[in-house]
Structures are given as C-alpha cells and as structure tokens.
Amino acid sequence: MIIETEICTACESCVPYCPVEAISVKDDHAEIDQDICVECGVCYRASVCPVDAITEPELTWPRTLRSLFSNPITVFEETGVAGRGTDEVKTNDVTGRYRRGEVGFGIEMGRPGTGTTFRQVQQMTIALAKIGVQFERKNPLTTLISDVKTGSIREDILDERVLTAIIEFKVPIERVGEVLETLRKKEKALDTVFSVDYISRPGLDGGLPAVEQAKRLGYEPSRHVKICAGVGRPKID
Amino acid sequence: MTHSLHRMGSAENLDQEIIFVLTPSRGINSEGAEGKIKKFLDIIVSNGPVHYGDDRVGNQYTAGYDKIVENLEGITNIHAVFNDFEKAKKVFREIVEADLGLSVVVSGLFDRARGCCEAAGVQYHSVEHSLGIWGNRKLLPDERTLEVLTMCGHGLVSANLIRAMADDVRDKRKSAQEAAEELARHCLCGIFNTERAALLLKELA
C-alpha cells in the first residue's frame, strides 16, 4: 500500500488500522514503511482517509506474495482457495485428507498479529524437513519451497513479509512427539510467534487418540475447537 | 486457514459462542452449489446471527445479505456467529435437515460444538484443536486485547485499533457496540463476534 504524501494531511486517522504498525506520521504526512507493510489492504478498505490518499498499487513479483498471504480476498490460483492454506479440516469429510491414525499439523507462522518473513518460515521448514516431514502439496507455501527434502525456500522471496504463512503436513500419531519436540526447540530461535493447529479423527469408539497422545506428552489441546460435522457428500469415512 | 480455531477467552466468555462455516470443496461438490449456499445463508439469516459473511464478498456490515447473494459462487466460505447455544443447536438442526451435502464446520468449546452435532443426530467426522501460541510471546499484546484480536483469524483487526476503540468507549465517543462494529468491518469473512467484542471493549475501556 502507498500513501500519496502530497495529498496526505497527516490527520493520523489511518494509523491505528494497520495490523503490523507499518504506518507512521513524519512531519506533514503519513507514510507506509514498505519493508513492514504486508499488503493486507486493511488501510485502503477502511476508507478512513478524508482525502483518499491511500492507494493500492499494482504489485510485482515477489511482492505479490505479501498480498497472497495477507489479504484474504487474494486467491491462490492452484487450489482456488482464498487465503494462505488449504481447506484443512473444513472439508475433511469429503477430501479424506486426514485419516484415522494420522494427525494433521498447521504451523501458522506470524499468527496472531505479529507477521512473519519467509526467512523465519524457512527456519521452521528446514527443522521439519530434517525429521522427514512431507509438506502438504496443495498448500500455497509448499509451492515456494524449492527443495522439500531440505525445507529450503526460494532465495528471492526470503525477505518478503506476510501476515501469516501456514506450514501444513500430517504424520502418523506415533510421530507427534517428534514434531512437537522440533517445534519446541525451534521456537526459542524465532523472533515471531506461531500458532499450532492439531487435526485428528475420533476413533471408532468415539475416543480421541491424538488428543490423548498430546496430553501424554505434556501438551494441553484447547477447549475451543473446530469440528468438521461430517455432513458433506460424497463422504469419505 | 483456521479462521475460528485460535480464539482466546475464558470458558465463561466463550460458553455460548458457536460459529458455523460452510465450505464447498473444489472439484468435489462445488459445481452448481450456489443454490445450496443460498439455502444455508437463508437459514443463518432467518435465525438472527450476531454476524455473518462471505469471505469473497464481505460481511454483514461491508456487504450485507443482498450483495452476498448477488455474488455467490460455488467456491467460497460462508461464516456465521451465534451467541446462544440453544439457538445454535436449532440452527444446526435446520442445516442438517436441509441436506445440503456440503461440508459444515461447527466451532466453539468442544462440548458445545459436539453438542450441536448430537442435537442434530450427527456423528462428527474430524476435529481440530489448537496447541496454543508458541515463539516470542513478548511480541503479543495483553491478554484482553488478544481475546478481541483473535476473533479475526486472518489477523486483520489490529491491536492498536482495538485500543483506540476501547479509548473511544471510555471517553464516550462511541458505544461499545459501535466500537465493536467498527472492528468487525475489517474482518472480511464475518466471523468476528461483535457482542463478545463489545463486552471485552467495556473491560478494556
């Protein structure tokens, strides 16, 4: 996003709207720090500028990635899904992405509210690749990993900054501990936050073996959940 | 994208909140799904949600029902928030009876979300839990602000705007509901709970 400094009156109306604090007022105008801006479009859509000084420029590669991973109305062409991940658990009843005995992970880098660079994301993808994780093929981020065996991300995008990038993969329940230990080790080195999604299916007895596994390992899955109700068709059991 | 998963708040604060998300799946059941999506939307709207929206078109404040219906496409997510568990159970029963054949997520406290399924005679298929926020937590705002901020899963509601709205409530420039609606405008998909936000803003003010 850009503020046309000749028009801007430095009224500061737009400043609090930016989710990543990229807008500041200098002397007689506000400006957007282009390194920090994630192209989410909030300041533009907010329509709070009294003189319409905020503009949404045509983006070029690799800056286009900022919009793709930060502005939810930007669509990832390959899956047709708007936003930064797959439909994960939402359509699991018809995609069968996660089966019994498996756990799906979503490592939501930069969430909530801090944002992340792909360089920070790469710190995590490299750590996960070392333990043999296979990244979800249909996730937009996976298409930017130049070597899925090492977890390396394309060099030309590493300094791009986005609101969130989701690393998606699944593992057998027995490997949950290995994944969580890797996340635990890596979090100390990161100057951002990440939220962890944990997806599973109930057992045939109605129990939740993956949740029990997490608890045995000393983790406390949230009380707040998303349930795929299983009303989609054709249903995959 | 896990829009509603990482909502923060006390059990008491989250107790009555149920979120529904309708998601047609590309290449599986999205073709010709517009009529079913409209039926879902009509069930939602007729039951008086706190908030709703289509993440490609906008929410009830930025787009409204007519614009959402005019722009319905087979690939989208429709979100709706209810703040009354008994009403949410009724809504989900109506959704199941409508037999849309499209995937529906029920989100809330586990017993409540499962309770909606049970009330509609549905055995839920899969579940997603949060394992929390990791990394450098010093970068995060205070807990109360975070409870409001995490209502927008896309992260479009800024911590500074939440503080500004709390200030407006404290100084009586806005009512808590007006301030919550100003925050909700930026959460495009309509998953932001304005009623819960208004209560939290009063505490922050």
Side-chain angles (χ1 to χ4, degrees):
Chain A
M1 310 307 298
I2 289 173
I3 293 176
E4 294 184 36
T5 52
E6 319 80 65
I7 304 175
C8 175
T9 60
C11 72
E12 302 188 14
S13 299
C14 58
V15 174
Y17 285 82
C18 178
V20 292
E21 300 185 337
I23 308 176
S24 60
V25 174
K26 307 256 172 72
D27 302 325
D28 62 349
H29 64 270
E31 58 185 43
I32 297 176
D33 185 321
Q34 295 300 304
D35 288 335
I36 297 173
C37 173
V38 293
E39 304 291 351
C40 64
V42 168
C43 58
Y44 176 74
R45 287 191 301 271
S47 299
V48 291
C49 178
V51 292
D52 290 334
I54 301 175
T55 59
E56 195 167 28
E58 183 93 7
L59 301 176
T60 56
W61 179 268
R63 199 167 178 89
T64 44
L65 289 172
R66 297 192 183 219
S67 176
L68 179 64
F69 284 83
S70 309
N71 187 340
I73 55 178
T74 306
V75 175
F76 179 56
E77 294 298 337
E78 199 160 317
T79 59
V81 174
R84 33 214 108 151
T86 65
D87 280 338
E88 28 83 22
V89 80
K90 289 197 282 288
T91 55
N92 197 39
D93 51 354
V94 296
T95 64
R97 178 172 276 128
Y98 313 103
R99 307 286 180 131
R100 287 194 174 89
E102 296 176 334
V103 171
F105 278 94
I107 314 301
E108 302 201 39
M109 301 291 295
R111 183 177 181 182
T114 61
T116 185
T117 63
F118 286 108
R119 197 175 294 282
Q120 290 168 326
V121 175
Q122 182 180 245
Q123 287 179 263
M124 189 63 85
T125 52
I126 287 176
L128 291 165
K130 276 184 184 161
I131 60 167
V133 155
Q134 294 192 337
F135 303 107
E136 162 64 49
R137 192 174 52 82
K138 290 186 175 175
N139 176 292
L141 175 67
T142 304
T143 66
L144 303 170
I145 298 177
S146 50
D147 183 346
V148 290
K149 287 190 178 144
T150 65
S152 299
I153 291 177
R154 292 175 57 141
E155 186 72 30
D156 60 333
I157 69 164
L158 290 177
D159 292 323
E160 293 304 320
R161 194 158 184 272
V162 299
L163 260 185
T164 325
I166 309 175
I167 305 166
E168 284 183 77
F169 57 91
K170 64 180 182 180
V171 295
I173 285 181
E174 308 80 69
R175 295 196 61 201
V176 161
E178 196 181 354
V179 171
L180 293 174
E181 192 183 332
T182 301
L183 300 182
R184 195 53 89 197
K185 282 182 186 162
K186 206 71 234 173
E187 71 166 338
K188 296 183 180 73
L190 282 171
D191 194 24
T192 187
V193 296
F194 59 95
S195 297
V196 179
D197 319 333
Y198 191 76
I199 303 166
S200 66
R201 294 209 56 200
L204 293 170
D205 62 355
L208 287 167
V211 171
E212 293 308 315
Q213 176 76 340
K215 287 180 178 172
R216 271 195 296 276
L217 293 165
Y219 296 88
E220 191 56 46
S222 60
R223 292 166 301 182
H224 196 273
V225 299
K226 280 166 65 176
I227 278 178
C228 174
V231 295
R233 285 195 305 272
K235 189 172 174 180
I236 295 179
D237 190 26
Chain B
M1 180 70 193
T2 54
H3 306 67
S4 64
L5 183 66
H6 300 286
R7 270 165 136 82
M8 293 176 64
S10 65
E12 184 187 14
N13 187 259
L14 292 167
D15 183 57
Q16 292 294 312
E17 182 185 75
I18 289 287
I19 298 151
F20 298 110
V21 185
L22 179 81
T23 308
S25 187
R26 176 181 283 262
I28 297 177
N29 54 26
S30 62
E31 201 167 322
E34 291 83 355
K36 296 173 182 176
I37 300 169
K38 182 176 180 299
K39 177 70 180 168
F40 176 85
L41 190 62
D42 286 343
I43 292 170
I44 293 300
V45 173
S46 68
N47 279 287
V50 173
H51 197 195
Y52 66 93
D54 175 328
D55 61 8
R56 291 196 176 197
V57 183
N59 61 45
Q60 75 179 80
Y61 299 106
T62 61
Y65 175 83
D66 291 341
K67 189 173 176 187
I68 291 173
V69 169
E70 278 168 29
N71 292 282
L72 277 182
E73 289 182 16
I75 294 289
T76 193
N77 290 296
I78 303 288
H79 306 81
V81 183
F82 288 88
N83 244 1
D84 177 335
F85 177 57
E86 290 305 318
K87 187 193 276 189
K89 282 197 291 187
K90 172 180 175 289
V91 171
F92 192 59
R93 273 198 302 271
E94 288 182 30
I95 291 168
V96 171
E97 283 164 10
D99 195 23
L100 304 172
L102 303 176
S103 300
V104 176
V105 157
V106 185
S107 187
L109 295 178
F110 180 67
D111 287 343
R112 294 301 208 189
R114 187 176 55 181
C116 278
C117 293
E118 287 171 355
V122 168
Q123 171 64 50
Y124 75 92
H125 184 275
S126 324
V127 61
E128 181 170 16
H129 290 78
S130 168
L131 292 184
I133 303 169
W134 303 42
N136 186 0
R137 292 181 62 100
K138 288 178 188 162
L139 299 171
L140 297 171
D142 64 274
E143 288 281 313
R144 272 286 181 270
T145 302
L146 212 46
E147 288 179 23
V148 181
L149 187 147
T150 54
M151 285 187 208
C152 174
H154 287 113
L156 301 177
V157 176
S158 85
N160 285 335
L161 187 62
I162 294 165
R163 292 188 198 104
M165 289 301 106
D167 288 348
D168 280 356
V169 172
R170 183 195 60 214
D171 297 339
K172 304 191 187 315
R173 286 188 291 269
K174 281 186 170 69
S175 70
Q177 182 63 26
E178 286 169 343
E181 288 177 13
E182 176 57 21
L183 296 176
R185 281 204 301 128
H186 312 288
C187 171
L188 295 176
C189 61
I191 208 164
F192 192 89
N193 186 334
T194 44
E195 281 184 14
R196 201 158 69 82
L199 291 174
L200 291 166
L201 284 169
K202 283 181 189 169
E203 290 181 31
L204 279 164

